Amino acid sequence: MGAQEPFVSPGAAGRTPLRPDDGRLQRGRRSRARIREAARALFRERGFDATTLRAIAQRAGMGASSLYRHIRTKEELLVDELQELQEQAWHQFRRRRVSRGGPETASERLRRFLDAEHQLLARDPDLTTIALRATTHPEARVAGQVLALQDRTVGLLAEIMLQGRSRGELRRGVDVLAAARTIAHTTNGARIAWANGQLDGEACRRAIDTAVDVLFQGIGAPPG
Amino acid sequence: MGAQEPFVSPGAAGRTPLRPDDGRLQRGRRSRARIREAARALFRERGFDATTLRAIAQRAGMGASSLYRHIRTKEELLVDELQELQEQAWHQFRRRRVSRGGPETASERLRRFLDAEHQLLARDPDLTTIALRATTHPEARVAGQVLALQDRTVGLLAEIMLQGRSRGELRRGVDVLAAARTIAHTTNGARIAWANGQLDGEACRRAIDTAVDVLFQGIGAPPG
DNA sequence: CCATCTAGGGGAACAGCCTCGCAAATCGGG
DNA sequence: CCCGATTTGCGAGGCTGTTCCCCTAGATGG
């Protein structure tokens, strides 16, 4: 994991920079910041699809083609934001550890994380929408980035469940990874329905909740 | 349901045709057939994204802009194909009713349907990929078409489970709709992973299988 | 202070999907 | 067999994300 170019200057989108970015290349860094800022604002104002690269470039004070010194793809701009939000969700989740009373059950922790995630992602449908769209362009570079993000979410969910399993809250021998994936996929699905206006924000949250419920209880009749 | 313009001539992409297509407009029908055929062949040869509208038009023997008398969107062409395949899967599933021995359990029927679906969809990643991509364009008309298709799948899954529930194979009071949605979303997710090369076809099938297993058994420890 | 090197900016242009307005083909009815 | 209406086809063109290649500013090393 984590082998995703830590700080090796995103500039010159294609070639490997000969020198590492040791802090002397300030102009580029400022440009990158302006681009991100402009993109973020415009996405929020008009939405992703209605925002043209030329508009972003203009607000960032440069020509459209110059953007490509700093980004690889339009989608990358939004995925970066998504990534930040995800980290925020994780951070927020880990910080609020034992808020009150006794230790949480795995199911409670799961819910708490999913709620945090929902709250952040429900700000803008584009965040889900465009990310998923990226995964439908398998040859594109962003696809990998988004999938890595999802994998990380799956990992966290699995971790939560593993803890629960070792405490005997979960059925023995349960395939936690499969369960984690199921949860992740279901949240994606619910959010797509939400983005398409089939669900409002609250209904989406509830759908996710219900899905976790169903998954915990199982749908099969008890063996007895 | 079913209010999706049954046969009202898809022509003139914008306006409602004054007369229904009563079988007298043969030229258009032939053109439509040629377009579909050309598109299908080219998608199979080069893949969806590598197939240009101009190429389709050329093979269909017309100019690119003329396509738009018959289709609304490039994606629509592929979604049409997907729709046919889905109907095929449903048909095939219903036909092979009681193949052998005693009555199938709900879980067996579920698996049988999912296998049939997988076999058809595993022919071409584009079928899943592009359909899902369409749902990330909420303002586009195809999005609705794809979502309707998914809803129908969910309906079928729910129906299967309802039967099982009334026979006591399922836990009482289970939310079959939520369970059906979970299954549908999970299959989508697995196929995306497959399309991105994270899973091969067989692993994808197994992932779906496992997910159904986990959902049936539940991950929570039995109350006892 | 100079030669050099490169990150970063810019304009032009490309291919993609799709829209527009107009001309031709085709239709049903008289 | 001809007329008015409707469908179908076409070329031009718009807007998009993205690439290409050239040019400059400013840092680097001597």
Side-chain angles (χ1 to χ4, degrees):
Chain A
M1 336 168 174
Q4 42 172 357
E5 40 178 325
F7 259 110
V8 251
S9 163
R15 305 193 183 164
T16 324
L18 304 181
R19 253 176 331 200
D21 178 354
D22 56 0
R24 286 172 294 192
L25 307 148
Q26 300 189 8
R27 186 159 72 123
R29 184 146 339 122
R30 265 196 285 260
S31 294
R32 258 159 273 165
R34 274 202 324 265
I35 291 172
R36 296 263 287 249
E37 204 175 336
R40 203 177 290 232
L42 285 168
F43 289 164
R44 216 157 286 177
E45 288 172 27
R46 317 179 186 173
F48 181 85
D49 286 324
T51 299
T52 146
L53 278 174
R54 286 167 175 87
I56 297 176
Q58 191 182 6
R59 189 173 290 203
M62 56 204 286
S65 61
S66 306
L67 289 180
Y68 284 84
R69 292 280 170 210
H70 306 285
I71 66 171
R72 284 194 269 249
T73 278
K74 183 188 177 192
E75 284 167 353
E76 197 183 63
L77 282 167
L78 195 123
V79 171
D80 282 349
E81 200 178 337
L82 175 64
Q83 193 153 3
E84 279 176 34
L85 283 182
Q86 278 285 15
E87 313 245 10
Q88 210 172 316
W90 291 320
H91 190 70
Q92 183 176 330
F93 168 73
R94 293 205 188 275
R95 210 179 27 182
R96 263 206 249 151
R97 234 159 226 263
V98 198
S99 48
R100 47 162 199 178
E104 286 172 301
T105 66
S107 131
E108 283 167 346
R109 275 205 310 280
L110 232 40
R111 258 174 245 278
R112 190 155 62 75
F113 170 69
L114 292 175
D115 275 356
E117 196 189 33
H118 177 78
Q119 206 179 340
L120 291 174
L121 262 45
R123 285 182 192 168
D124 186 352
D126 284 349
L127 288 169
T128 300
T129 282
I130 310 302
L132 190 68
R133 187 188 301 173
T135 66
T136 68
H137 290 273
E139 75 291 348
R141 282 176 280 249
V142 258
Q145 208 175 332
V146 173
L147 289 171
L149 223 50
Q150 288 189 0
D151 276 353
R152 223 165 128 187
T153 302
V154 168
L156 181 68
L157 294 171
E159 188 192 314
I160 294 177
M161 288 192 273
L162 265 178
Q163 279 182 31
R165 193 172 70 175
S166 72
R167 289 192 203 148
E169 298 170 25
L170 262 52
R171 182 188 291 273
R172 270 171 213 246
V174 144
D175 187 340
V176 287
L177 214 54
R181 290 208 189 92
T182 298
I183 292 179
H185 293 156
T186 306
T187 58
N188 274 343
R191 264 193 278 275
I192 284 292
W194 163 64
N196 278 277
Q198 298 189 320
L199 262 47
D200 64 22
E202 179 51 23
C204 177
R205 204 194 57 75
R206 251 181 294 124
I208 295 174
D209 232 52
T210 308
V212 174
D213 254 359
V214 171
L215 186 62
F216 258 81
Q217 298 193 4
I219 63 175
Chain B
M1 342 180 164
Q4 43 172 359
E5 39 175 324
F7 261 109
V8 251
S9 159
R15 306 191 181 162
T16 325
L18 303 183
R19 249 177 332 196
D21 178 353
D22 55 1
R24 284 174 294 193
L25 306 149
Q26 301 189 8
R27 186 157 76 122
R29 179 141 346 116
R30 265 195 286 260
S31 293
R32 258 160 273 163
R34 273 200 325 261
I35 291 172
R36 297 262 288 251
E37 204 175 337
R40 201 178 290 231
L42 285 168
F43 289 162
R44 216 157 284 178
E45 288 173 25
R46 318 178 184 174
F48 181 86
D49 285 325
T51 299
T52 145
L53 278 175
R54 287 168 176 90
I56 297 177
Q58 191 183 4
R59 189 173 292 203
M62 56 205 287
S65 63
S66 307
L67 288 181
Y68 285 84
R69 292 279 171 210
H70 306 285
I71 67 171
R72 285 194 269 251
T73 279
K74 183 188 174 189
E75 284 166 354
E76 198 183 62
L77 282 167
L78 196 121
V79 171
D80 282 349
E81 199 178 338
L82 176 64
Q83 193 152 4
E84 280 176 33
L85 282 182
Q86 278 285 17
E87 312 246 10
Q88 211 172 316
W90 290 321
H91 189 72
Q92 183 175 330
F93 168 72
R94 293 206 189 275
R95 209 179 27 179
R96 265 207 249 151
R97 235 160 225 265
V98 199
S99 47
R100 46 162 201 179
E104 286 172 302
T105 67
S107 131
E108 283 167 345
R109 274 205 309 280
L110 232 40
R111 257 174 246 277
R112 193 155 61 78
F113 171 70
L114 292 175
D115 274 357
E117 196 189 32
H118 177 77
Q119 206 178 340
L120 291 174
L121 262 46
R123 285 182 193 168
D124 186 352
D126 285 348
L127 287 169
T128 299
T129 282
I130 311 303
L132 231 46
R133 187 189 300 172
T135 66
T136 68
H137 291 272
E139 74 290 350
R141 282 177 276 249
V142 258
Q145 207 175 332
V146 173
L147 289 171
L149 223 50
Q150 288 188 2
D151 275 354
R152 222 165 129 188
T153 302
V154 168
L156 180 67
L157 294 172
E159 187 193 315
I160 295 177
M161 287 192 275
L162 265 178
Q163 280 183 29
R165 192 171 73 176
S166 71
R167 291 194 201 145
E169 299 170 23
L170 263 52
R171 183 187 290 273
R172 271 170 214 250
V174 143
D175 187 340
V176 288
L177 214 52
R181 287 206 191 93
T182 299
I183 293 180
H185 292 157
T186 306
T187 58
N188 276 342
R191 265 192 275 275
I192 284 291
W194 163 65
N196 277 277
Q198 297 188 320
L199 261 48
D200 63 23
E202 180 50 24
C204 178
R205 203 194 58 76
R206 251 182 294 126
I208 295 174
D209 231 52
T210 308
V212 174
D213 255 357
V214 170
L215 185 63
F216 258 81
Q217 297 193 6
I219 65 176

